[in-house]
Amino acid sequence: MYWEKDVETLNRKKLEELQLARLQETVKRTEKSYYYSKLFKEKKLSANSLKSLQDIQKFPFTTKDDLREHWPYGFIAVPKDELVRMHSSSGTTGRATVVFHTAHDISVWSNLLARCMFMTGMRKSDVFQNMMTYGLFTGGLGFHYGAEKIGALVIPAGAGNSKRQIQLMMDFETTVVHVIPSYALHLSTVFTELKLDPRKDTKVKIAFLGAEPHTEKMRRKIEGIYGYKAFNSYGLSEMNGPGVAFECPYQDGMHIWEDSFLVEIIDPKTLEPVADGQEGELVMTSIQKEGMPLLRYRTKDLTRIIPGICPCGRTHRRIERIKGRTDDMLILKGVNIFPMQIEKKLMEIPDVGTNFLIILDRDEFNDSMTVKVEVNKKYFAGDIKQLENLRKKIAEELKGELLITPKVDLVEPDSIPKGEGKAVRVIDNRKD
Ligand code: AMP
Ligand code: ZN
């Protein structure tokens, strides 16, 4: 039932002692990084500043902007030759935030994922099809290593290519899959096209759904279509990637692995801790990381700690499914997108105004993005071909930047309503 019973059920007092010891070690380690050594000198902080877990509040937060400003190596806490792997956040071909791992980090991370998957019932005898992008994105290799640690047979299918996914699933009798929820819905339409019924024609009994927000209703819908149990998987590249928090068989919140991460929930406005059980922004400190430990990293994800003890016996607290973000980042098909990226690209194209609107839609099974863009009036008076060429050019430029293909609609100047205050850049029509 447990991958590591001792750690997973460690009593709270012991767990907190372990956290404090690991936190102190981590702070010592971060003193070796360019960024934190400077910061600690300025603020007169050191590992000695930590007598209790609450003392973490003496330390400043770390943000994505800090990571960007000290790109690429400003946060590494070991000599470069000890690093064995690099990953980055999903989306953007530009300077995505990068993270680095030592061999020990990879081993700890794989173990966390093995713990997550084992918790849901996956075993050595399973065939695991990983339908996530391999490469820089953490969802591919992260799960891959974890599943191998359990000893399962891993099919590194990667993302996309739906017919082949289905073929692999049937030929090799896949029993466990890892999939982005929006892709699980899309894939079900391909089953229908092929006149197959996933409930009858496959042997999949467990799915891990991660990388993007989804509602309870959407999970139940996916479970209904496929006839498997789907478990919510949360993580972010700055904290390794997947394997941060994961649902147990009770499917009531995700256990956040507190032997590896120190958790705080703060009010995103006042930056003060919220009362237990209240919603706020998740802030995390990696307390087992060697390559690039981060202190008080602001995830910008909104959630809350679910009060009370989980009947599964694990003592690590649970967070509720992610409710939203405190910044304007969107996630489409598992890819992170900041509206600013679109604005920057559009500004580089002559005759294109800066007024634009992103519309996200979900028909029953597919997610899509439309970017409405205002362009110079002359395009509407002249040749339709010219307009079409401009449309294609914008679509290509955006695809190059965002890594997904948006639909582009060109409209006349001033046709996108301007509000009084801050421009509304995004309309998200995605419901369940
Ligand atoms: P990345 O750094 O590219 O792995 O993106 C991490 C972000 O993806 C997180 O900060 C969340 O906003 C989002 N995310 C990952 N998993 C989930 C999940 N299960 N539910 C909601 N959002 C998620
Ligand atoms: Zn549980």
Side-chain angles (χ1 to χ4, degrees):
M1 187 186 173
Y2 302 104
W3 177 249
E4 296 161 291
K5 185 162 191 238
D6 292 355
V7 187
E8 291 172 55
T9 61
L10 197 61
N11 73 53
R12 289 297 309 178
K13 190 166 169 284
K14 289 235 167 74
L15 186 53
E16 285 171 16
E17 282 166 11
L18 178 70
Q19 284 189 311
L20 182 59
R22 287 188 172 165
L23 177 63
Q24 287 162 336
E25 277 169 35
T26 301
V27 169
K28 265 192 211 131
R29 231 176 275 134
T30 57
E31 282 166 2
K32 299 202 184 83
S33 79
Y34 170 81
Y35 176 80
Y36 286 115
S37 67
K38 238 174 72 184
L39 185 75
F40 292 173
K41 257 183 224 129
E42 264 169 45
K43 308 259 177 209
K44 299 196 171 45
L45 290 163
S46 73
N48 295 333
S49 321
L50 288 162
K51 303 279 181 267
S52 73
L53 286 175
Q54 281 65 37
D55 287 340
I56 185 75
Q57 290 172 20
K58 295 179 187 162
F59 288 74
F61 295 105
T62 305
T63 65
K64 218 179 182 75
D65 285 340
D66 296 328
L67 299 184
R68 286 201 180 109
E69 279 162 31
H70 297 85
W71 188 92
Y73 290 120
F75 276 86
I76 60 170
V78 294
K80 213 160 112 200
D81 64 359
E82 283 187 36
L83 299 175
V84 300
R85 176 98 67 83
M86 172 195 143
H87 277 290
S88 80
S89 53
S90 73
T92 188
T93 50
R95 283 185 171 186
T97 44
V98 283
V99 287
F100 299 96
H101 303 273
T102 63
H104 183 251
D105 290 336
I106 297 287
S107 160
V108 170
W109 180 23
S110 312
N111 189 61
L112 284 177
L113 273 160
R115 192 193 285 175
C116 293
M117 291 188 265
F118 195 88
M119 171 166 75
T120 67
M122 176 168 155
R123 296 292 180 268
K124 193 177 176 319
S125 50
D126 278 304
V127 178
F128 173 65
Q129 188 166 329
N130 195 11
M131 299 193 253
M132 287 275 169
T133 309
Y134 275 70
L136 285 172
F137 175 58
T138 55
L141 286 172
F143 267 85
H144 184 107
Y145 273 56
E148 282 191 354
K149 203 147 201 160
I150 289 182
L153 169 58
V154 182
I155 306 178
N161 206 340
S162 304
K163 286 188 180 146
R164 194 183 61 171
Q165 297 284 6
I166 293 173
Q167 194 68 51
L168 288 169
M169 228 178 262
M170 299 204 323
D171 287 353
F172 304 102
E173 304 191 330
T174 300
T175 52
V176 182
V177 296
H178 176 209
V179 64
I180 293 178
S182 55
Y183 186 67
L185 282 183
H186 168 73
L187 192 66
S188 75
T189 65
V190 185
F191 272 100
T192 313
E193 244 173 63
L194 298 172
K195 302 204 166 38
L196 293 168
D197 175 355
R199 298 183 73 104
K200 295 201 191 98
D201 298 314
T202 77
K203 293 206 155 59
V204 184
K205 55 181 191 217
I206 294 173
F208 309 126
L209 304 182
E212 67 183 9
H214 54 290
T215 57
E216 181 64 33
K217 207 165 154 197
M218 183 152 167
R219 180 243 294 273
R220 294 298 171 208
K221 179 170 172 172
I222 293 170
E223 286 187 331
I225 293 171
Y226 286 93
Y228 53 47
K229 267 201 139 201
F231 298 91
N232 195 358
S233 151
Y234 169 79
L236 62 159
S237 47
E238 292 85 351
M239 296 289 129
N240 293 336
V244 172
F246 218 86
E247 276 181 343
C248 72
Y250 290 89
Q251 293 183 311
D252 181 17
M254 299 178 277
H255 289 283
I256 188 156
W257 299 124
E258 295 182 87
D259 58 323
S260 262
F261 307 100
L262 185 67
V263 180
E264 298 171 79
I265 307 276
I266 61 160
D267 178 326
K269 290 207 181 77
T270 63
L271 306 183
E272 292 298 322
V274 299
D276 254 6
Q278 292 303 302
E279 193 178 293
E281 181 181 325
L282 178 65
V283 169
M284 272 186 292
T285 300
S286 40
I287 51 175
Q288 266 201 292
K289 202 72 197 286
E290 289 179 347
M292 192 175 138
L294 297 179
L295 304 180
R296 305 193 86 197
Y297 183 70
R298 288 189 61 182
T299 66
K300 307 282 175 124
D301 289 319
L302 287 169
T303 184
R304 70 183 191 103
I305 299 277
I306 298 177
I309 297 159
C310 184
C312 78
R314 289 176 182 82
T315 47
H316 301 240
R317 290 177 297 171
R318 291 164 297 161
I319 55 167
E320 205 163 62
R321 109 184 6 263
I322 305 297
K323 288 270 179 57
R325 304 254 323 159
T326 59
D327 62 6
D328 58 357
M329 186 179 94
L330 325 163
I331 306 184
L332 184 78
K333 300 182 182 179
V335 178
N336 303 350
I337 298 167
F338 290 94
M340 188 53 112
Q341 290 174 268
I342 296 183
E343 182 166 328
K344 261 170 66 189
K345 271 284 144 201
L346 293 178
M347 275 164 69
E348 289 165 16
I349 306 171
D351 290 329
V352 174
T354 49
N355 206 16
F356 68 95
L357 186 65
I358 302 166
I359 304 160
L360 301 169
D361 285 303
R362 170 173 296 148
D363 68 20
E364 209 186 344
F365 296 101
N366 282 302
D367 285 8
S368 63
M369 173 163 99
T370 305
V371 183
K372 265 191 178 188
V373 188
E374 288 183 2
V375 300
N376 192 313
K377 223 182 171 75
K378 71 178 186 207
Y379 285 93
F380 295 93
D383 192 352
I384 188 104
K385 250 202 203 133
Q386 237 186 337
L387 188 70
E388 181 52 20
N389 285 345
L390 181 65
R391 199 191 61 74
K392 275 198 191 133
K393 182 176 160 57
I394 296 177
E396 264 163 36
E397 289 283 330
L398 291 181
K399 185 183 178 199
E401 168 69 25
L402 306 174
L403 306 177
I404 56 160
T405 314
K407 196 169 156 279
V408 173
D409 268 357
L410 301 186
V411 294
E412 296 197 41
D414 296 324
S415 54
I416 298 173
K418 284 196 192 74
E420 300 272 292
K422 221 171 138 215
V424 176
R425 294 295 193 203
V426 184
I427 296 179
D428 194 345
N429 295 322
R430 293 176 298 178
K431 299 209 174 66
D432 315 299

